[in-house]
Amino acid sequence: MRLMTSSDKPENASAAPVPTGVAAQDWAQAAAEPHYRAAVVDLLGALAYGELAAFERLAEDAKLAPTLGDKAELAKMASAEFHHFERLRNRLTEIGEDPTGAMDPFVAALDGFHRQTAPSDWLEGLVKAYVGDSIASDFYREVAARLDIDTRELVLAVLDDTGHAEFAVEKVRAAIDADPRVGGRLALWARRLMGEALSQSQRVVADRDALSTMLVGGVADGFDLAEVGRMFTRITEAHTKRMAALGLAA
Amino acid sequence: MRLMTSSDKPENASAAPVPTGVAAQDWAQAAAEPHYRAAVVDLLGALAYGELAAFERLAEDAKLAPTLGDKAELAKMASAEFHHFERLRNRLTEIGEDPTGAMDPFVAALDGFHRQTAPSDWLEGLVKAYVGDSIASDFYREVAARLDIDTRELVLAVLDDTGHAEFAVEKVRAAIDADPRVGGRLALWARRLMGEALSQSQRVVADRDALSTMLVGGVADGFDLAEVGRMFTRITEAHTKRMAALGLAA
């Protein structure tokens, strides 16, 4: 994952609680609790398959690139996603889990998302890369604050922005400047992406008990149902800001 | 490029001349000769676009993978090709050339090759990765021996085998063991790949004067028309051996 810049982070930095409980523990301590361990395996599995699917999608989008330079830029992003995937897979192996087993439960939802939102051109691909990964990144950052120290460090590392957001924003803004009608079409597209992302997330949360329990106040720190609501509000607000940065109405 | 193993190298190691002339010079010395310089820019451009196209093809083939583990393996190969592409692009920039301009003349031939040889399933994709890259690798190794020291070092580095040949050989042999009829189909496929590779190479050589002149005795060392014939013989023999290693009749 990638594409977060400091300016479009949701405003949870100040709202996040001072680490206590799990968030103050390392993996060895925290994982002694079987429900917490299961939730983290789910999270790493979802994130790992997300990176592998993002690799495939970006490599596919590279074919739509109008120039060799643009193609190389997309290939670079794809390759960066692959290296994130490798880190997550290696961590799963390190903690004694089968990476394939951890990823399997998330294949249907992520493949479904990508199938429902196959970009029809280069600009739709860029908007999808930017918006989709930003939303995923916001979500994982929110969750990361509630994780043990070691898992948090890994999750934040694979969400590290590698400067690709600027590339997408610059290309999309230039296209809208050149033809303002493009803006209307891409705004509709971004709304469809957000809708599909929410619908697939609900599917995952409904299916995965350990993950949902961690999200809703169970085993990790500081999340209750009201907090989940606020989290979605923060993510939606960040999305609206990003749309404005692209020159699109959310 | 990749997929060479020490056992399937063409037998040119002993036949290669002791470096003299260009092969004993560094880039700064050798590039003072404008025809040599133009030929190397062509070579690096062809190799760079070859890597970028290989990235795309492998990422595409990853979709056909029967398991998540196989998918990850193909994604890893694709990512390795991308890093080779980056090195070649950076070198072109270093020597003051526009990478896009250097790659452009080879886009049609390489895209044509990949379009004519789109694998219809996972095994065809593996055979193509193995056979196609091995032939390309043999060719570039032959040429590398005639290049200046700096260019040779770069070309050999991006041809470095990263252990993927074993992956392809193992999977293809297992498939043939499980169903011997698969062998006949894949043998036909490999012949088609070889034919298409030769036809596209001829197209490139006919189009690019500097490159052809270097290949046929002009500016680099030790290549005359007879030597080119022997080179093709060596490459064809290495191909036959690789087919045998796969369990296929060439």
Side-chain angles (χ1 to χ4, degrees), chain A residues 146-231:
Chain A
R146 276 85 183 172
L147 297 171
D148 67 275
I149 298 162
D150 299 314
T151 307
R152 180 165 65 239
E153 197 178 86
L154 173 67
V155 169
L156 293 178
V158 301
L159 297 176
D160 196 28
D161 175 38
T162 42
H164 298 131
E166 288 101 291
F167 178 78
V169 171
E170 184 197 310
K171 297 283 173 182
V172 172
R173 290 190 68 111
I176 295 173
D177 283 350
D179 178 2
R181 284 169 308 176
V182 166
R185 175 166 72 83
L186 293 179
L188 273 174
W189 170 244
R191 276 199 286 279
R192 200 174 126 207
L193 291 171
M194 187 67 164
E196 194 62 35
L198 287 174
S199 116
Q200 297 291 347
S201 309
Q202 282 166 349
R203 178 173 167 185
V204 167
V205 169
D207 272 6
R208 304 302 295 173
D209 280 351
L211 196 58
S212 315
T213 308
M214 181 170 81
L215 288 180
V216 190
V219 291
D221 284 342
F223 256 159
D224 58 21
L225 213 49
E227 180 59 22
V228 171
R230 286 192 291 274
M231 178 180 87

Side-chain angles (χ1 to χ4, degrees), chain B residues 126-189:
Chain B
L126 284 183
V127 169
K128 181 175 169 184
Y130 177 56
V131 169
D133 289 356
S134 300
I135 294 171
S137 182
D138 284 354
F139 169 75
Y140 283 111
R141 267 171 214 276
E142 293 267 357
V143 174
R146 277 86 184 173
L147 297 172
D148 67 275
I149 299 162
D150 299 313
T151 307
R152 180 166 64 238
E153 195 178 88
L154 174 66
V155 169
L156 293 178
V158 302
L159 296 177
D160 196 28
D161 174 37
T162 43
H164 298 130
E166 288 102 291
F167 178 78
V169 171
E170 184 198 311
K171 297 282 173 182
V172 171
R173 290 190 68 109
I176 295 172
D177 282 349
D179 177 3
R181 284 169 308 175
V182 166
R185 176 166 70 83
L186 292 179
L188 274 175
W189 170 245

Side-chain angles (χ1 to χ4, degrees), chain A residues 4-17 138 141-142 146 227 230-231 233-239 241-242:
Chain A
M4 282 297 293
T5 63
S6 54
S7 59
D8 59 6
K9 235 175 251 178
E11 277 135 8
N12 66 322
S14 56
D138 284 354
R141 268 171 213 276
E142 293 267 358
R146 276 85 183 172
E227 180 59 22
R230 286 192 291 274
M231 178 180 87
T233 304
R234 286 192 295 269
I235 289 178
T236 308
E237 283 170 2
H239 172 70
K241 280 191 196 174
R242 274 191 300 266

Side-chain angles (χ1 to χ4, degrees), chain B residues 97-116:
Chain B
E97 294 290 333
D98 169 38
T100 298
M103 290 190 283
D104 268 338
F106 307 100
V107 169
L110 277 154
D111 285 357
F113 174 73
H114 288 304
R115 204 170 33 242
Q116 295 296 326

